[in-house]
Amino acid sequence: MDASPSLWHSYLGVILSRERQRMEHFQRAEDILLTLLESVHARDPRFLVDYARNLEAFEFSLGASEDAVALEVPLRVDGDALRVLARRSSPEHPAELSTCCLELCSPGADLEDWTGAVDGMEHCLLPGKILQRLKELLVSAIVRCQRLFLLQPGDISAENLREDALELSLLIRGSWKPVRFDIVPVLRRQQEPLQLRGRRRSDRGFPAGSLSRATEEAHFVPASPLGWRSSTHLPLLKLLRAVDSLQGPRVDGLRLLDQLREQDWGGQAGTGPLTFQHLQMVLLWSTELFPSPEDWQDLEGSVYRLLVILLRCLATQHLPHFLNPEENLFQGAAPDLASLYHKVESFAWDPQRFLRFHFGLHGFSGSCQADRETRALLQLPTRDGSCWDTAYFDILLSQFQVFRIQDSARRSAASQLLARIRQEIPQHS
């Protein structure tokens, strides 16, 4: 819109200048955690140490806030020798519809203390028992490392280790402030390539083969003391890394919007309805919906490709999960989304007001005079899928005057869709 290219790049430059410090901050905390996990593995080899933590470091460096880092500890269990069985739900626990049991096909003595009966099925791996064992070993590892002077006073805090938690939280001092790691045991098994229903092409916009590589393994993490759930945390980070390998400032758009979320949209310290993970999902959708390199030529255009999708999701209060589109990531956040929508809309119409750093109170105040036609377009009801398509979002880019695409086929498709929308929905004065 009105902001000059230099203003966009100056704002991004400040964000990037902090990134190296954040990476060093993370790596120091990670080194301490790996020391603990090595001690855990020495006591119980069923807990493995995964040294390939580049994805978690990448995620931490991109985010503006100090959110917890989800860290998976692999289990030495042959995932392909397990039966995945859906759990029977009950009126008291309807959420168990999406959980499962992992039953050992050939029970062995080395896993006997981790198994039990669930819903009449014998020899199921019990997350509660595994979490309890891992917690005991972590506490023991902390004491041992302190005695051996491998840890300095204040390096680590285990105060957040709770009996009933499905992740084990440790605060580890990186440099000037601690990093919180939410440690979860994970069981991995090979799976068939993921087929995304309703997609024209599964890798559209992404490097060839990236989706199959990201989803070649199923990851199961604790959902309750008795059941497991599928986790898409690492597969999504693999896709994010694949996006970063493409040309254009795609991930820079994510960096910039996450800084705005933290500074102006009420997302400090992980609070508020919008999270870094939501913005990550928006970037993945924008990569698929805007597959042409022409869409990602400059920073302003890249940011607006994320913005139009985010605004649509806020207006409809529906953000589909990229790998499980039937799941709405905004479910249950409706009261807060309306206020957030106006803040994001204000930025879209007048970014110059926001592209500056300030300290203390949030910088957002008031709202803008939005274009009524644009707001009506954003709030169109979802019917035949035409409002989740490149042509629809091209219309929104045109409304914000950032379309700038020369492809005649795309311009024609957007014009035809806009004409149909105007014909179907009467214009109100």
PDB file of all heavy atoms in Angstrom, residues 48-72:
ATOM      1  N   LEU A  48      15.963 -42.415  23.195  1.00  0.00           N
ATOM      2  CA  LEU A  48      17.050 -42.120  22.273  1.00  0.00           C
ATOM      3  C   LEU A  48      17.373 -40.623  22.283  1.00  0.00           C
ATOM      4  O   LEU A  48      16.522 -39.791  22.601  1.00  0.00           O
ATOM      5  CB  LEU A  48      16.674 -42.559  20.854  1.00  0.00           C
ATOM      6  CG  LEU A  48      16.311 -44.041  20.701  1.00  0.00           C
ATOM      7  CD1 LEU A  48      15.887 -44.340  19.267  1.00  0.00           C
ATOM      8  CD2 LEU A  48      17.477 -44.937  21.106  1.00  0.00           C
ATOM      9  N   VAL A  49      18.592 -40.304  21.903  1.00  0.00           N
ATOM     10  CA  VAL A  49      19.019 -38.906  21.785  1.00  0.00           C
ATOM     11  C   VAL A  49      19.084 -38.564  20.300  1.00  0.00           C
ATOM     12  O   VAL A  49      19.854 -39.164  19.552  1.00  0.00           O
ATOM     13  CB  VAL A  49      20.399 -38.680  22.438  1.00  0.00           C
ATOM     14  CG1 VAL A  49      20.770 -37.195  22.352  1.00  0.00           C
ATOM     15  CG2 VAL A  49      20.391 -39.151  23.878  1.00  0.00           C
ATOM     16  N   ASP A  50      18.260 -37.625  19.888  1.00  0.00           N
ATOM     17  CA  ASP A  50      18.242 -37.168  18.497  1.00  0.00           C
ATOM     18  C   ASP A  50      19.035 -35.863  18.421  1.00  0.00           C
ATOM     19  O   ASP A  50      18.606 -34.831  18.934  1.00  0.00           O
ATOM     20  CB  ASP A  50      16.790 -36.951  18.043  1.00  0.00           C
ATOM     21  CG  ASP A  50      16.687 -36.600  16.565  1.00  0.00           C
ATOM     22  OD1 ASP A  50      17.738 -36.400  15.933  1.00  0.00           O
ATOM     23  OD2 ASP A  50      15.551 -36.519  16.046  1.00  0.00           O
ATOM     24  N   TYR A  51      20.191 -35.926  17.771  1.00  0.00           N
ATOM     25  CA  TYR A  51      21.059 -34.749  17.704  1.00  0.00           C
ATOM     26  C   TYR A  51      20.677 -33.817  16.549  1.00  0.00           C
ATOM     27  O   TYR A  51      21.198 -32.710  16.456  1.00  0.00           O
ATOM     28  CB  TYR A  51      22.525 -35.174  17.561  1.00  0.00           C
ATOM     29  CG  TYR A  51      23.063 -35.858  18.792  1.00  0.00           C
ATOM     30  CD1 TYR A  51      23.060 -37.245  18.900  1.00  0.00           C
ATOM     31  CD2 TYR A  51      23.568 -35.124  19.863  1.00  0.00           C
ATOM     32  CE1 TYR A  51      23.551 -37.883  20.032  1.00  0.00           C
ATOM     33  CE2 TYR A  51      24.056 -35.737  20.997  1.00  0.00           C
ATOM     34  CZ  TYR A  51      24.045 -37.120  21.076  1.00  0.00           C
ATOM     35  OH  TYR A  51      24.524 -37.753  22.211  1.00  0.00           O
ATOM     36  N   ALA A  52      19.812 -34.277  15.665  1.00  0.00           N
ATOM     37  CA  ALA A  52      19.417 -33.458  14.510  1.00  0.00           C
ATOM     38  C   ALA A  52      18.268 -32.539  14.917  1.00  0.00           C
ATOM     39  O   ALA A  52      17.093 -32.852  14.723  1.00  0.00           O
ATOM     40  CB  ALA A  52      19.004 -34.360  13.346  1.00  0.00           C
ATOM     41  N   ARG A  53      18.611 -31.400  15.505  1.00  0.00           N
ATOM     42  CA  ARG A  53      17.598 -30.467  16.011  1.00  0.00           C
ATOM     43  C   ARG A  53      17.541 -29.188  15.175  1.00  0.00           C
ATOM     44  O   ARG A  53      17.138 -28.136  15.667  1.00  0.00           O
ATOM     45  CB  ARG A  53      17.920 -30.107  17.472  1.00  0.00           C
ATOM     46  CG  ARG A  53      17.837 -31.292  18.417  1.00  0.00           C
ATOM     47  CD  ARG A  53      16.428 -31.838  18.527  1.00  0.00           C
ATOM     48  NE  ARG A  53      16.338 -32.971  19.430  1.00  0.00           N
ATOM     49  CZ  ARG A  53      15.248 -33.706  19.601  1.00  0.00           C
ATOM     50  NH1 ARG A  53      14.168 -33.427  18.898  1.00  0.00           N
ATOM     51  NH2 ARG A  53      15.229 -34.720  20.438  1.00  0.00           N
ATOM     52  N   ASN A  54      17.933 -29.273  13.906  1.00  0.00           N
ATOM     53  CA  ASN A  54      17.962 -28.079  13.075  1.00  0.00           C
ATOM     54  C   ASN A  54      16.574 -27.481  12.876  1.00  0.00           C
ATOM     55  O   ASN A  54      16.422 -26.261  12.769  1.00  0.00           O
ATOM     56  CB  ASN A  54      18.581 -28.399  11.711  1.00  0.00           C
ATOM     57  CG  ASN A  54      20.057 -28.744  11.817  1.00  0.00           C
ATOM     58  OD1 ASN A  54      20.710 -28.332  12.770  1.00  0.00           O
ATOM     59  ND2 ASN A  54      20.571 -29.502  10.875  1.00  0.00           N
ATOM     60  N   LEU A  55      15.551 -28.330  12.822  1.00  0.00           N
ATOM     61  CA  LEU A  55      14.195 -27.824  12.578  1.00  0.00           C
ATOM     62  C   LEU A  55      13.692 -27.020  13.763  1.00  0.00           C
ATOM     63  O   LEU A  55      13.096 -25.950  13.601  1.00  0.00           O
ATOM     64  CB  LEU A  55      13.244 -28.984  12.277  1.00  0.00           C
ATOM     65  CG  LEU A  55      13.475 -29.694  10.940  1.00  0.00           C
ATOM     66  CD1 LEU A  55      12.587 -30.926  10.832  1.00  0.00           C
ATOM     67  CD2 LEU A  55      13.214 -28.749   9.769  1.00  0.00           C
ATOM     68  N   GLU A  56      13.924 -27.519  14.977  1.00  0.00           N
ATOM     69  CA  GLU A  56      13.494 -26.772  16.160  1.00  0.00           C
ATOM     70  C   GLU A  56      14.251 -25.445  16.280  1.00  0.00           C
ATOM     71  O   GLU A  56      13.665 -24.419  16.637  1.00  0.00           O
ATOM     72  CB  GLU A  56      13.711 -27.598  17.423  1.00  0.00           C
ATOM     73  CG  GLU A  56      12.772 -28.787  17.565  1.00  0.00           C
ATOM     74  CD  GLU A  56      13.336 -30.069  17.003  1.00  0.00           C
ATOM     75  OE1 GLU A  56      14.278 -29.996  16.186  1.00  0.00           O
ATOM     76  OE2 GLU A  56      12.859 -31.146  17.379  1.00  0.00           O
ATOM     77  N   ALA A  57      15.555 -25.474  15.957  1.00  0.00           N
ATOM     78  CA  ALA A  57      16.343 -24.236  16.003  1.00  0.00           C
ATOM     79  C   ALA A  57      15.831 -23.246  14.958  1.00  0.00           C
ATOM     80  O   ALA A  57      15.751 -22.031  15.211  1.00  0.00           O
ATOM     81  CB  ALA A  57      17.815 -24.551  15.763  1.00  0.00           C
ATOM     82  N   PHE A  58      15.501 -23.744  13.779  1.00  0.00           N
ATOM     83  CA  PHE A  58      14.965 -22.902  12.708  1.00  0.00           C
ATOM     84  C   PHE A  58      13.659 -22.250  13.152  1.00  0.00           C
ATOM     85  O   PHE A  58      13.460 -21.036  12.987  1.00  0.00           O
ATOM     86  CB  PHE A  58      14.748 -23.780  11.475  1.00  0.00           C
ATOM     87  CG  PHE A  58      14.152 -23.066  10.286  1.00  0.00           C
ATOM     88  CD1 PHE A  58      14.756 -21.949   9.761  1.00  0.00           C
ATOM     89  CD2 PHE A  58      12.993 -23.546   9.694  1.00  0.00           C
ATOM     90  CE1 PHE A  58      14.212 -21.295   8.653  1.00  0.00           C
ATOM     91  CE2 PHE A  58      12.440 -22.905   8.596  1.00  0.00           C
ATOM     92  CZ  PHE A  58      13.049 -21.785   8.072  1.00  0.00           C
ATOM     93  N   GLU A  59      12.768 -23.028  13.756  1.00  0.00           N
ATOM     94  CA  GLU A  59      11.497 -22.491  14.230  1.00  0.00           C
ATOM     95  C   GLU A  59      11.725 -21.433  15.304  1.00  0.00           C
ATOM     96  O   GLU A  59      11.099 -20.365  15.285  1.00  0.00           O
ATOM     97  CB  GLU A  59      10.622 -23.625  14.782  1.00  0.00           C
ATOM     98  CG  GLU A  59       9.283 -23.157  15.315  1.00  0.00           C
ATOM     99  CD  GLU A  59       8.492 -24.284  15.962  1.00  0.00           C
ATOM    100  OE1 GLU A  59       9.112 -25.201  16.542  1.00  0.00           O
ATOM    101  OE2 GLU A  59       7.256 -24.246  15.898  1.00  0.00           O
ATOM    102  N   PHE A  60      12.623 -21.715  16.244  1.00  0.00           N
ATOM    103  CA  PHE A  60      12.875 -20.774  17.340  1.00  0.00           C
ATOM    104  C   PHE A  60      13.439 -19.453  16.807  1.00  0.00           C
ATOM    105  O   PHE A  60      13.070 -18.372  17.274  1.00  0.00           O
ATOM    106  CB  PHE A  60      13.844 -21.397  18.342  1.00  0.00           C
ATOM    107  CG  PHE A  60      14.084 -20.557  19.560  1.00  0.00           C
ATOM    108  CD1 PHE A  60      13.191 -20.567  20.615  1.00  0.00           C
ATOM    109  CD2 PHE A  60      15.205 -19.734  19.641  1.00  0.00           C
ATOM    110  CE1 PHE A  60      13.409 -19.787  21.742  1.00  0.00           C
ATOM    111  CE2 PHE A  60      15.433 -18.952  20.762  1.00  0.00           C
ATOM    112  CZ  PHE A  60      14.527 -18.979  21.815  1.00  0.00           C
ATOM    113  N   SER A  61      14.311 -19.535  15.808  1.00  0.00           N
ATOM    114  CA  SER A  61      14.933 -18.316  15.286  1.00  0.00           C
ATOM    115  C   SER A  61      13.934 -17.442  14.545  1.00  0.00           C
ATOM    116  O   SER A  61      14.063 -16.212  14.529  1.00  0.00           O
ATOM    117  CB  SER A  61      16.094 -18.682  14.353  1.00  0.00           C
ATOM    118  OG  SER A  61      15.611 -19.263  13.147  1.00  0.00           O
ATOM    119  N   LEU A  62      12.917 -18.050  13.936  1.00  0.00           N
ATOM    120  CA  LEU A  62      11.941 -17.287  13.154  1.00  0.00           C
ATOM    121  C   LEU A  62      10.961 -16.526  14.030  1.00  0.00           C
ATOM    122  O   LEU A  62      10.496 -15.447  13.665  1.00  0.00           O
ATOM    123  CB  LEU A  62      11.153 -18.224  12.228  1.00  0.00           C
ATOM    124  CG  LEU A  62      11.903 -18.836  11.052  1.00  0.00           C
ATOM    125  CD1 LEU A  62      10.967 -19.760  10.281  1.00  0.00           C
ATOM    126  CD2 LEU A  62      12.462 -17.768  10.135  1.00  0.00           C
ATOM    127  N   GLY A  63      10.598 -17.100  15.163  1.00  0.00           N
ATOM    128  CA  GLY A  63       9.551 -16.515  15.989  1.00  0.00           C
ATOM    129  C   GLY A  63      10.016 -15.278  16.726  1.00  0.00           C
ATOM    130  O   GLY A  63      11.184 -15.152  17.113  1.00  0.00           O
ATOM    131  N   ALA A  64       9.094 -14.340  16.940  1.00  0.00           N
ATOM    132  CA  ALA A  64       9.420 -13.100  17.649  1.00  0.00           C
ATOM    133  C   ALA A  64       9.311 -13.258  19.155  1.00  0.00           C
ATOM    134  O   ALA A  64       9.968 -12.551  19.909  1.00  0.00           O
ATOM    135  CB  ALA A  64       8.494 -11.978  17.183  1.00  0.00           C
ATOM    136  N   SER A  65       8.484 -14.174  19.629  1.00  0.00           N
ATOM    137  CA  SER A  65       8.259 -14.324  21.062  1.00  0.00           C
ATOM    138  C   SER A  65       9.054 -15.503  21.607  1.00  0.00           C
ATOM    139  O   SER A  65       9.604 -16.310  20.856  1.00  0.00           O
ATOM    140  CB  SER A  65       6.766 -14.518  21.351  1.00  0.00           C
ATOM    141  OG  SER A  65       6.288 -15.673  20.696  1.00  0.00           O
ATOM    142  N   GLU A  66       9.098 -15.600  22.922  1.00  0.00           N
ATOM    143  CA  GLU A  66       9.850 -16.665  23.584  1.00  0.00           C
ATOM    144  C   GLU A  66       8.910 -17.818  23.920  1.00  0.00           C
ATOM    145  O   GLU A  66       8.806 -18.247  25.070  1.00  0.00           O
ATOM    146  CB  GLU A  66      10.531 -16.131  24.850  1.00  0.00           C
ATOM    147  CG  GLU A  66      11.393 -14.905  24.631  1.00  0.00           C
ATOM    148  CD  GLU A  66      12.597 -15.203  23.747  1.00  0.00           C
ATOM    149  OE1 GLU A  66      13.057 -16.359  23.734  1.00  0.00           O
ATOM    150  OE2 GLU A  66      13.072 -14.278  23.068  1.00  0.00           O
ATOM    151  N   ASP A  67       8.214 -18.328  22.916  1.00  0.00           N
ATOM    152  CA  ASP A  67       7.300 -19.445  23.141  1.00  0.00           C
ATOM    153  C   ASP A  67       8.091 -20.715  23.457  1.00  0.00           C
ATOM    154  O   ASP A  67       9.276 -20.844  23.119  1.00  0.00           O
ATOM    155  CB  ASP A  67       6.423 -19.683  21.910  1.00  0.00           C
ATOM    156  CG  ASP A  67       5.483 -18.520  21.634  1.00  0.00           C
ATOM    157  OD1 ASP A  67       5.247 -17.727  22.565  1.00  0.00           O
ATOM    158  OD2 ASP A  67       5.003 -18.399  20.494  1.00  0.00           O
ATOM    159  N   ALA A  68       7.406 -21.672  24.082  1.00  0.00           N
ATOM    160  CA  ALA A  68       8.053 -22.945  24.399  1.00  0.00           C
ATOM    161  C   ALA A  68       8.437 -23.684  23.126  1.00  0.00           C
ATOM    162  O   ALA A  68       7.753 -23.607  22.103  1.00  0.00           O
ATOM    163  CB  ALA A  68       7.111 -23.800  25.246  1.00  0.00           C
ATOM    164  N   VAL A  69       9.554 -24.402  23.199  1.00  0.00           N
ATOM    165  CA  VAL A  69      10.014 -25.233  22.086  1.00  0.00           C
ATOM    166  C   VAL A  69       9.553 -26.666  22.341  1.00  0.00           C
ATOM    167  O   VAL A  69       9.911 -27.266  23.361  1.00  0.00           O
ATOM    168  CB  VAL A  69      11.551 -25.186  21.969  1.00  0.00           C
ATOM    169  CG1 VAL A  69      12.018 -26.096  20.834  1.00  0.00           C
ATOM    170  CG2 VAL A  69      12.022 -23.754  21.752  1.00  0.00           C
ATOM    171  N   ALA A  70       8.742 -27.194  21.432  1.00  0.00           N
ATOM    172  CA  ALA A  70       8.318 -28.593  21.545  1.00  0.00           C
ATOM    173  C   ALA A  70       9.467 -29.478  21.079  1.00  0.00           C
ATOM    174  O   ALA A  70       9.942 -29.348  19.945  1.00  0.00           O
ATOM    175  CB  ALA A  70       7.072 -28.835  20.700  1.00  0.00           C
ATOM    176  N   LEU A  71       9.913 -30.361  21.947  1.00  0.00           N
ATOM    177  CA  LEU A  71      11.060 -31.214  21.630  1.00  0.00           C
ATOM    178  C   LEU A  71      10.683 -32.679  21.839  1.00  0.00           C
ATOM    179  O   LEU A  71      10.314 -33.075  22.943  1.00  0.00           O
ATOM    180  CB  LEU A  71      12.262 -30.828  22.496  1.00  0.00           C
ATOM    181  CG  LEU A  71      13.568 -31.510  22.113  1.00  0.00           C
ATOM    182  CD1 LEU A  71      14.707 -30.513  22.092  1.00  0.00           C
ATOM    183  CD2 LEU A  71      13.893 -32.651  23.062  1.00  0.00           C
ATOM    184  N   GLU A  72      10.770 -33.449  20.760  1.00  0.00           N
ATOM    185  CA  GLU A  72      10.371 -34.852  20.803  1.00  0.00           C
ATOM    186  C   GLU A  72      11.564 -35.743  21.131  1.00  0.00           C
ATOM    187  O   GLU A  72      12.647 -35.580  20.564  1.00  0.00           O
ATOM    188  CB  GLU A  72       9.763 -35.262  19.458  1.00  0.00           C
ATOM    189  CG  GLU A  72       8.492 -34.500  19.108  1.00  0.00           C
ATOM    190  CD  GLU A  72       7.897 -34.900  17.775  1.00  0.00           C
ATOM    191  OE1 GLU A  72       8.554 -35.680  17.039  1.00  0.00           O
ATOM    192  OE2 GLU A  72       6.786 -34.442  17.452  1.00  0.00           O
TER     193      GLU A  72
END
